[in-house]
Amino acid sequence: MERNPMRRQLASMRKSLFDQGYLDEQFMELEQLLDDANPNFVEEVVTLYYRDSARLILNLDRALERRPLDFSKLDGLMHQFKGSSSSIGAKKVKAESTLFREYCKSGNAEGCMRTFQQLKKEYATLRKKLETYFQLARQIGPMESANRPK
Amino acid sequence: MTPTLPSGDQASDQDNWDNGRLAHKRQLLTEIILRNRLTALVVDGDTTCRVLEQLLLHSYGVQTQGVDNGRDAIALIASGVKFNLIIIDMILSVLNGLEATRQIRDMGVHCKMLGVTACSGESERQAFLAAGVDVFIEKPLDPEHLVPILRELDGQ
């Protein structure tokens, strides 16, 4: 058990991200993959994801304003967003992406719009939680990577 | 190495199973040393995916190049660059993954091709395999799928 209160807080925060379904195993794979290179690399990858996916979110927003909806275009945009989200282990975001694509395939405009609103909420919530997590991790510093919960 | 839980709570059966499964995956991650120098091309329009896939390959000692569209992939291969492995997404800009795969095969390229994509339907899988990929993998690309393929390419 972690004696250091900040490390305990970090470990607890991390556990809840998984327990509450915000992240899946892929995030752990990232941590394992990137640990040796640079302890802040996971944060850098997540920052990259949010930077790049912001463009996709904007394009999806615009595409959803057009009438009639171009479901093929929407599906293509969401395909890319889903892939990107799954690559960082964003579990809830990925689930909403999958649901959105199903609505695209069935031509359900209301379903697409409703799901997209939920997706944006999950996307924003995950961002806030990860920002808080990484901020604390940076405060704890490089020693944390040696003792990172496995 | 036995993974430990991040808190002082008693491990549940589910946690033990998850940790055992994760330990097995981690073993796969570390259990390969390539004898040969392998090269790979990653064709993915999404920067995050492309960077991570290249990083994963690099962690095993595979030399990689990355492009973000099908046309650049074709041009690179047409220039004579050889790869042991091509990882390609289905939906790409300029030239989509299915057509790029067909053209790569039509050029006489016989290397291993992995279709790694966010699509998960059977029709997408069949279409990508029909276009010429050897293996269809739903994103994210993970060591469980990759390591056996690298072993095969390395002649292990």
Side-chain angles (χ1 to χ4, degrees):
Chain A
M1 185 162 129
E2 299 286 3
R3 291 202 179 89
N4 184 303
M6 281 178 82
R7 285 189 201 166
R8 273 206 306 276
Q9 189 186 354
L10 187 75
S12 173
M13 212 182 276
R14 184 178 177 278
K15 186 173 187 299
S16 77
L17 283 169
F18 289 101
D19 289 348
Q20 291 174 20
Y22 288 102
L23 296 175
D24 63 26
E25 215 173 74
Q26 175 63 15
F27 189 84
M28 294 184 198
E29 298 285 2
L30 286 193
E31 289 176 315
Q32 289 301 308
L33 176 64
L34 302 171
D35 226 7
D36 295 335
N38 173 355
N40 296 326
F41 211 166
V42 179
E43 182 180 359
E44 289 172 20
V45 168
V46 169
T47 303
L48 172 66
Y49 161 74
Y50 273 101
R51 191 192 71 206
D52 272 10
S53 57
R55 174 183 52 85
L56 288 169
I57 294 280
L58 184 62
N59 288 340
L60 280 157
D61 260 322
R62 285 177 180 157
L64 282 165
E65 282 166 10
R66 296 203 180 97
R67 295 293 179 272
L69 292 183
D70 182 345
F71 289 107
S72 173
K73 177 172 182 159
L74 287 168
D75 188 57
L77 288 169
M78 190 54 76
H79 166 101
Q80 191 170 341
F81 183 80
K82 180 186 169 186
S84 201
S85 303
S86 70
S87 74
I88 68 151
K91 190 175 180 180
K92 290 192 184 193
V93 174
K94 180 183 170 181
E96 295 298 333
S97 305
T98 301
L99 187 56
F100 183 94
R101 295 192 72 201
E102 284 167 14
Y103 283 128
C104 283
K105 287 186 172 82
S106 60
N108 186 331
E110 198 211 316
C112 282
M113 287 188 280
R114 191 175 61 242
T115 305
F116 189 59
Q117 294 311 311
Q118 184 60 25
L119 181 150
K120 285 197 288 186
K121 275 187 198 155
E122 297 294 353
Y123 176 80
T125 301
L126 178 63
R127 181 181 206 155
K128 281 203 186 85
K129 286 182 180 289
L130 285 174
E131 277 172 357
T132 307
Y133 174 76
F134 288 131
Q135 194 172 22
L136 182 57
R138 268 185 266 121
Q139 282 174 31
I140 291 170
M143 283 185 68
E144 173 55 29
S145 65
N147 295 316
R148 188 192 306 279
K150 303 290 181 203
Chain B
M1 181 171 65
T2 305
T4 56
L5 289 172
S7 77
D9 296 336
Q10 288 294 325
S12 66
D13 284 344
Q14 181 64 33
D15 287 336
N16 281 333
W17 183 81
D18 287 344
N19 285 338
R21 190 160 150 262
L22 193 57
H24 173 65
K25 285 184 86 169
R26 200 165 288 117
Q27 227 178 343
L28 286 177
L29 185 68
T30 57
E31 235 181 42
I32 179 171
I33 297 171
L34 296 179
R35 293 192 286 247
N36 301 292
R37 173 163 278 187
L38 298 181
T39 57
L41 173 64
V42 176
V43 190
D44 198 312
D46 182 77
T47 307
T48 308
C49 290
R50 194 174 62 251
V51 163
L52 288 176
E53 284 163 7
Q54 286 188 261
L55 210 55
L56 180 61
L57 288 160
H58 182 75
S59 73
Y60 294 114
V62 180
Q63 263 190 318
T64 72
Q65 287 193 50
V67 294
D68 67 4
N69 67 80
R71 181 186 59 192
D72 286 355
I74 300 292
L76 186 58
I77 292 167
S79 73
V81 181
K82 301 263 185 276
F83 298 100
N84 302 107
L85 176 66
I86 297 174
I87 290 174
I88 185 164
D89 193 359
M90 182 178 271
I91 297 185
L92 299 167
S93 63
V94 184
L95 185 67
N96 73 55
L98 292 178
E99 185 53 35
T101 301
R102 281 187 210 107
Q103 289 191 25
I104 288 168
R105 289 304 194 202
D106 286 345
M107 286 161 70
V109 172
H110 300 298
C111 72
K112 199 83 163 181
M113 287 187 75
L114 309 188
V116 179
T117 178
C119 298
S120 55
E122 183 58 25
S123 61
E124 285 98 351
R125 194 179 83 88
Q126 293 297 337
F128 221 165
L129 290 168
V133 300
D134 299 294
V135 183
F136 177 95
I137 297 170
E138 188 184 349
K139 278 184 181 176
L141 178 64
D142 67 353
E144 262 186 348
H145 285 98
L146 181 62
V147 167
I149 291 168
L150 292 180
R151 282 205 188 101
E152 181 195 330
L153 291 173
D154 197 41
Q156 293 186 18

